[in-house]
Amino acid sequence: MANNVDDSSDAQYTIKEGDCVVLKRGDVFKAAQIQKNRKVIFEKQWFFLDNAVGELYGTAFEVVSGGTLQPKKPKLTESITEVKEAGIDNRNIVDDGRSQKLTRDDIEALKGQGLKGQDIVQQLVENSSSFRDKTEFAQEKYIKKKKKKYENTVTILKPSTRILAQMYHGREPGKICHLRYDSLAQMLTLGNIHAGSKVIVFETCAGLVLGAVMERMGGQGSVIQMYPGGGPVRGATDSFGFPEHFLRTLHHFPLCHTHALLAGRLSLDAPEPDAPPLGRSLESGDTDPAPQGTEETEMERETEEREKRREDKAQERKMKNEEKRKRLSDAAALLQPRNADGLVIASRLHPCPVLLPLLQFMAPSRPFVVYSQYREPLIECYTKLREQGGAINLRLSETWLRHYQVLPNRTHPVLLMSGGGGYILSGTTVTANPPKPTPHRESRSPPQNPTPPDPRPTPHRVQRSPPPNGSN
Amino acid sequence: MSITEPESGGNIPVSPRSLLSSPMSFVEYAEFIQEGDVVIVFMGHDSMFPVKVQQGGQTQTRYGVIRHSTDLIGQRFGSKVTCSKGGWVYVLHPTPELWTLNLPHRTQILYTTDIANITMMLELKPGSVVCESGTGSGSLSHAILRTIAPSGHLYTVEFHQQRAEKAREEFHDHKAIGHAKAAMKKRGGRVCSFSPCIEQVQRTCAALAEQDFGEICTLEVLLRVFDVRAITLALPDLGEEDPLQADLETPSEGGAPATTNASASVICRTAMPPREMAGHTGYLTFATKSLV
C-alpha cells in the first residue's frame, strides 16, 4: 500500500516546466513558476530557472555567472575554514573598520573572476586581522553572516501550506489579514478539514486559506468558495500548483446572492455582479483605426469582418455567460441541501453578517471556524450565536508562537517574536428545531444546561425560543 | 515522540498496528446515529463524554437516562436529546478534536493546539505516509488518520508499559533520529519531535544536524482561550458637575446610558483571559530530510 503511494508519486518529486515552485534562501521565500528563458528576481539577484527542470524538489542551486543555476552537491556545503585559533573574549576587538584588508573593489574583482560564494567567504576570513582574536562563537557568527551575504544559494521547494503560509506572513501579511501560520493550522484542525467533505470557504486572504483547505482535502469532496465583489481571488491558491482534478472540486458562489439562495428566490438568470461592459469598450477601440481605409470595397470588407468579429464575440460572451450560469447553479446545488460539513471564514470584512447566514448551509454537528485579525467582531459573533442558538461548543481563542535558537549552551527563545497571530472563534453546529414539548422539562435542568453560567440570564431563555432556522 | 514519513517497507523500528479497532468514524461524517457508533454526549464545555451506541443500551447522565434505542439510534447527529429527568443534552458526531478533549489522561497527551501545528508543519495531507512513535492514548493518531485518509498510511508504536520509561529514554535523541532517517523516503520528508524538556530538544537538534537534516526549527505554541462575557462596571459618583464642563464632556459617551444617578453602571462585552492557563506543553522541533 505504501508502495503504491511511493511509485505513483515519484514523478511529482521532480521539477518540471510549468510547475509552481517556491524559491528559498535562508528564511526568505518567493513563489515562482518554472518557465524557460524567464528572468526571476529574488533577493536582489536575477537568474533563470531553466536548469532546475529535471532536478528533484529540495535541491539547492548555486547561482553562477549569467544567472545560471547549478545544482549543489549536498556534501560539499560544509566546513569553511580550518582556522582553529580563537580568542577567549572580545577584549582585543576594536571596531575601527580596518580589520578587513579586502576592499569593496577587491571583493567585486573576486566575484568577477567567478569565485564562488564559499571561496569569497574564505578570502574574507583570511584577510580579516581580527578573525583569530574572535571567540569561537563570534567566528561562527561571522562566517554565518558573510555566508548569507556572499553565497548565492537558492533552494527550490514544492509549494505547501506550510511554506506559502510562512511566505505570505513574512512578505505580505497585509494580503492575508495578518493570519499567522499557526493560526491557519488551528483553523484547519478545528474545522476538521479532511478528504471527502463539503466545505464552505469565505476568505479575503489572497486565496491562501482556500488553498490550505484544498490541500487538506486532497482533491476529494467539494469546496465552495463564497466570494465578495466581482470574482473569486485565488492568487495564493494558484501558487499551490494543484493538479487539474483538484480544481474540479472547487466551486464558487457570489456572496451577494446568499440571502436570495437562503430565501429560495435565487434566479439563475440574474445578471452577474461583474457583468463587464468590456465587450463594448473593446469594439469601440476597434472602430477607431477603421476610417483609414480608402477604397470602398475594403471598407465594406472591413465592416463585414467587424460584423463577424462582433458576432463571434457575442457568441463567446454568450458561452461565457452560459458557463457562469452553470457554475452558479452547480454551486447553488451544493449549498441548497444545507448539509455542508465545514465552514471556514477568514476575512477583513465584519464576520458576523457572513457567519450567521452561512451557518444555515451547514449540517448539524459540524465544526466551523472564523478568523479575524481583531477580537471585537468575534465577541459579537459569539454573543449573537449564544442568543440565537444553533451552535454550541463556542470558543474564542488565540495562539502564541515562539521560536527558539537551539545551540549547545546557548539555547534561548529567539529575541523577536510575533506580537499576535489573530483570533479564532470555533464552534459546532446543532439542530435548531424547537424542543419537544415535554411537560416537566421547564422545571428541571435547563438552568444548568449546556450554556455555562453567564451573568445574564438571557441565553437560557433564548435556548427555548424557536430558532430562526426553522425546523429541518 | 517522533514522526516521520517513511519509505515503503523501510527499516522502521515499529510494527504496524491497527489503531481504530472500534468502528467509530473520524474519517467520514455520517448524518444519522446507528448502532455501533460512538457519539459524544455534550452537556457543556467541560462536560462531555463518548458513548458507544448499542441497541437496548442505557447511559446515565446527571439529567437522567439516555435510552439508546429510542433516544439515539436513528437520530440526527447534532440533535438535542431529552433525558429521562427532563434535562437535555446534544449528541455530537465524534471528531479527533472532541475525542482529544474526552481522553482519559493515562499518559501525557498531545492537545489540539500542538496537533494542529504538527499536522501543518509535517505537511500532512491525504495520502501521506506517517510513522509515529509513542502512541500514548492516541490523540495524535486519530488526528493524523483523519488528515491522511483515505489513501495514507500510519505506522504507530507504543512501548511495553513496564519498560516504557527506559525505552522512551533510549528511543529519543540520536538513535531515534537515525532510525527516522533510515525510515524516510529517499526523496526527503519531514520529521517532528515533541519534547517537554529543553535538554532533550538540544540533544534532538544536535542529532538532526549530525544526520544532515535541514530546516531545523524549534518552536512553542500556546493556546489562550478567552471567556466572553458581559461585565457590569459601576460608574463612580463624582458629584454634581459644573454645567459648563458637563456640556463639553457628555457628547463623548459611547452609547451606554451614563446617567448621573449614583447607582449607574455600564454593561460591556469583553473577552477575558483565563486566570490560569497551560504555560507549557512541549517544544516542537521540525526538520527536513535533505536529499542524499
Side-chain angles (χ1 to χ4, degrees):
Chain A
M1 194 143 143
N3 246 332
N4 293 338
V5 176
D6 268 0
D7 290 345
S8 62
S9 56
D10 218 48
Q12 77 183 44
Y13 289 102
T14 311
I15 302 169
K16 289 181 296 295
E17 195 179 343
D19 275 8
C20 289
V21 301
V22 177
L23 310 175
K24 175 178 187 279
R25 172 183 293 167
D27 296 325
V28 188
F29 299 96
K30 182 189 170 112
Q33 200 179 11
I34 304 283
Q35 285 169 310
K36 294 261 181 201
N37 289 316
R38 174 69 74 88
K39 193 181 269 186
V40 176
I41 299 169
F42 178 47
E43 287 288 277
K44 293 177 191 151
Q45 224 189 5
W46 57 267
F47 46 86
F48 297 93
L49 297 172
D50 302 44
N51 277 9
V53 175
E55 300 290 340
L56 288 175
Y57 276 105
T59 305
F61 296 88
E62 180 129 18
V63 183
V64 297
S65 59
T68 310
L69 291 187
Q70 206 172 70
K72 276 180 98 175
K73 296 284 162 288
K75 270 291 160 194
L76 292 176
T77 51
E78 47 197 274
S79 69
I80 185 103
T81 82
E82 286 309 308
V83 187
K84 269 294 153 235
E85 252 175 272
I88 312 153
D89 51 38
N90 60 4
R91 75 182 72 186
N92 295 320
I93 307 286
V94 191
D95 182 14
D96 57 1
R98 286 190 298 183
S99 43
Q100 181 54 254
K101 291 192 196 72
L102 292 182
T103 63
R104 175 125 291 280
D105 293 343
D106 292 338
I107 297 169
E108 285 305 316
L110 287 175
K111 273 195 201 167
Q113 289 167 27
L115 228 63
K116 284 190 179 170
Q118 190 168 326
D119 304 322
I120 293 178
V121 177
Q122 180 80 47
Q123 290 286 329
L124 285 170
V125 165
E126 281 167 17
N127 287 286
S128 165
S129 59
S130 57
F131 188 82
R132 280 175 174 73
D133 294 330
K134 287 181 194 284
T135 63
E136 234 175 280
F137 296 151
Q139 285 181 354
E140 206 176 285
K141 212 168 164 180
Y142 179 88
I143 289 175
K144 211 174 155 190
K145 220 168 93 189
K146 295 297 172 195
K147 250 186 166 171
K148 203 174 162 192
K149 189 161 176 193
Y150 293 102
E151 273 203 322
N152 305 324
T153 315
V154 177
T155 308
I156 297 186
L157 302 171
K158 204 171 171 58
S160 67
T161 301
R162 167 181 76 96
I163 291 163
L164 292 174
Q166 287 185 331
M167 180 186 89
Y168 270 95
H169 187 257
R171 290 170 75 97
E172 304 170 296
K175 275 199 181 166
I176 55 163
C177 305
H178 295 260
L179 169 68
R180 204 173 52 205
Y181 38 95
D182 55 315
S183 302
L184 177 57
Q186 301 303 310
M187 292 175 73
L188 296 168
T189 293
L190 292 173
N192 194 18
I193 306 302
H194 62 274
S197 40
K198 185 195 278 190
V199 181
I200 301 171
V201 177
F202 172 66
E203 62 129 290
T204 58
C205 296
L208 176 71
V209 175
L210 176 69
V213 167
M214 288 171 69
E215 181 186 272
R216 283 288 169 93
M217 294 182 55
Q220 297 163 72
S222 40
V223 184
I224 306 116
Q225 180 186 16
M226 310 296 287
Y227 64 90
V233 175
R234 291 173 183 166
T237 319
D238 295 340
S239 296
F240 279 83
F242 289 128
E244 187 56 37
H245 73 273
F246 273 54
L247 303 179
R248 284 198 289 272
T249 66
L250 175 58
H251 304 80
H252 53 257
F253 188 86
L255 199 62
C256 59
H257 291 339
T258 305
H259 284 301
L261 181 61
L262 280 170
R265 55 181 166 78
L266 175 72
S267 157
L268 288 175
D269 300 317
E272 280 295 287
D274 54 334
L278 207 111
R280 212 167 302 142
S281 70
L282 262 180
E283 276 167 35
S284 66
D286 276 353
T287 45
D288 276 335
Q292 282 170 346
T294 43
E295 265 182 66
E296 285 248 315
T297 44
E298 203 173 298
M299 283 276 277
E300 258 171 43
R301 205 182 308 141
E302 232 171 67
T303 330
E304 252 170 52
E305 267 174 28
R306 217 178 304 139
E307 198 84 324
K308 194 170 178 294
R309 238 182 293 156
R310 191 174 299 151
E311 262 169 38
D312 285 352
K313 256 186 200 137
Q315 185 67 25
E316 206 177 287
R317 213 176 319 139
K318 211 177 144 197
M319 292 228 323
K320 257 196 185 143
N321 278 339
E322 189 58 35
E323 200 192 299
K324 237 179 202 168
R325 226 176 55 91
K326 193 179 174 307
R327 287 193 140 266
L328 184 69
S329 77
D330 283 354
L334 281 167
L335 292 168
Q336 241 146 10
R338 303 193 179 198
N339 62 357
D341 298 312
L343 170 63
V344 178
I345 297 175
S347 88
R348 60 185 147 72
L349 306 183
H350 197 305
C352 219
V354 184
L355 172 65
L356 300 181
L358 291 190
L359 276 177
Q360 298 184 43
F361 290 118
M362 293 186 68
S365 196
R366 300 292 187 268
F368 60 89
V369 278
V370 189
Y371 166 86
S372 173
Q373 189 187 343
Y374 313 104
R375 202 167 66 173
E376 288 70 17
L378 294 181
I379 292 180
E380 201 181 315
C381 290
Y382 183 105
T383 310
K384 283 256 169 66
L385 285 174
R386 284 288 290 267
E387 280 168 15
Q388 76 165 47
I392 55 165
N393 209 13
L394 296 177
R395 205 178 65 164
L396 174 60
S397 65
E398 72 169 323
T399 48
W400 178 94
L401 173 74
R402 187 139 98 166
H403 285 265
Y404 282 78
Q405 165 186 297
V406 181
L407 288 170
N409 297 316
R410 281 163 295 151
T411 296
H412 59 70
V414 172
L415 299 187
L416 276 178
M417 69 181 274
S418 153
Y423 300 87
I424 289 171
L425 176 68
S426 62
T428 307
T429 57
V430 287
T431 54
N433 48 343
K436 288 173 221 157
T438 323
H440 53 221
R441 223 184 126 264
E442 301 287 325
S443 55
R444 295 288 181 99
S445 46
Q448 356 146 345
N449 246 330
T451 46
D454 189 294
R456 324 266 103 220
T458 35
H460 309 300
R461 211 181 310 137
V462 175
Q463 287 275 6
R464 263 173 273 145
S465 72
N469 298 28
S471 50
N472 340 2
Chain B
M1 177 216 66
S2 78
I3 305 142
T4 61
E5 229 181 302
E7 184 162 29
S8 58
N11 180 15
I12 311 160
V14 295
S15 59
R17 172 183 137 187
S18 161
L19 191 89
L20 283 182
S21 42
S22 78
M24 71 180 89
S25 173
F26 291 84
V27 167
E28 221 174 304
Y29 279 125
E31 200 179 340
F32 295 100
I33 301 170
Q34 290 177 15
E35 178 166 26
D37 282 352
V38 167
V39 301
I40 305 288
V41 174
F42 183 95
M43 298 192 288
H45 259 301
D46 306 315
S47 173
M48 55 181 128
F49 53 89
V51 166
K52 177 136 184 176
V53 179
Q54 278 162 328
Q55 198 69 251
Q58 291 196 347
T59 301
Q60 251 335 304
T61 77
R62 84 173 99 110
Y63 304 129
V65 172
I66 299 172
R67 290 185 181 83
H68 294 196
S69 310
T70 52
D71 297 337
L72 297 180
I73 294 175
Q75 295 291 318
R76 216 169 175 196
F77 278 106
S79 304
K80 198 182 252 188
V81 168
T82 306
C83 308
S84 65
K85 287 190 201 159
W88 39 262
V89 297
Y90 281 108
V91 285
L92 300 181
H93 197 286
T95 65
E97 288 61 52
L98 288 173
W99 187 247
T100 296
L101 287 175
N102 284 293
L103 276 174
H105 297 193
R106 285 183 280 124
T107 50
Q108 196 211 342
I109 77 161
L110 270 161
Y111 289 100
T112 297
T113 312
D114 286 313
I115 290 173
N117 282 286
I118 291 170
T119 309
M120 181 166 98
M121 296 305 257
L122 286 181
E123 303 184 340
L124 301 187
K125 54 189 176 216
S128 296
V129 181
V130 185
C131 170
E132 177 196 26
S133 89
T135 314
S137 34
S139 65
L140 178 63
S141 317
H142 284 100
I144 292 176
L145 281 173
R146 172 263 317 270
T147 302
I148 66 174
S151 47
H153 216 92
L154 171 67
Y155 299 87
T156 182
V157 73
E158 178 54 79
F159 298 97
H160 191 263
Q161 279 294 311
Q162 274 83 36
R163 290 180 310 180
E165 280 317 303
K166 186 160 189 343
R168 207 168 291 239
E169 232 165 72
E170 275 174 25
F171 194 85
H172 268 294
D173 312 323
H174 61 279
K175 274 183 206 155
I177 299 299
H179 287 313
K181 192 185 178 193
M184 284 162 84
K185 291 177 181 172
K186 274 205 217 81
R187 303 279 183 261
R190 299 269 297 163
V191 60
C192 167
S193 161
F194 174 93
S195 21
C197 301
I198 198 76
E199 290 81 3
Q200 203 169 55
V201 172
Q202 282 180 307
R203 289 197 295 269
T204 304
C205 286
L208 284 167
E210 195 172 300
Q211 298 278 345
D212 287 325
F213 278 85
E215 293 187 287
I216 303 171
C217 160
T218 299
L219 52 86
E220 182 181 22
V221 187
L222 293 179
L223 176 75
R224 184 144 78 154
V225 178
F226 295 97
D227 182 15
V228 180
R229 58 169 61 238
I231 54 157
T232 311
L233 294 177
L235 292 170
D237 179 11
L238 303 183
E240 279 296 312
E241 263 179 285
D242 181 73
L244 273 176
Q245 282 223 326
D247 272 359
L248 287 174
E249 283 170 14
T250 37
S252 62
E253 73 185 54
T259 44
T260 38
N261 197 319
S263 60
S265 60
V266 172
I267 297 166
C268 26
R269 282 269 159 197
T270 186
M272 299 203 318
R275 197 179 70 81
E276 223 172 9
M277 57 178 262
H280 181 61
T281 54
Y283 302 104
L284 292 169
T285 299
F286 299 96
T288 305
K289 184 192 177 187
S290 23
L291 298 172
V292 198

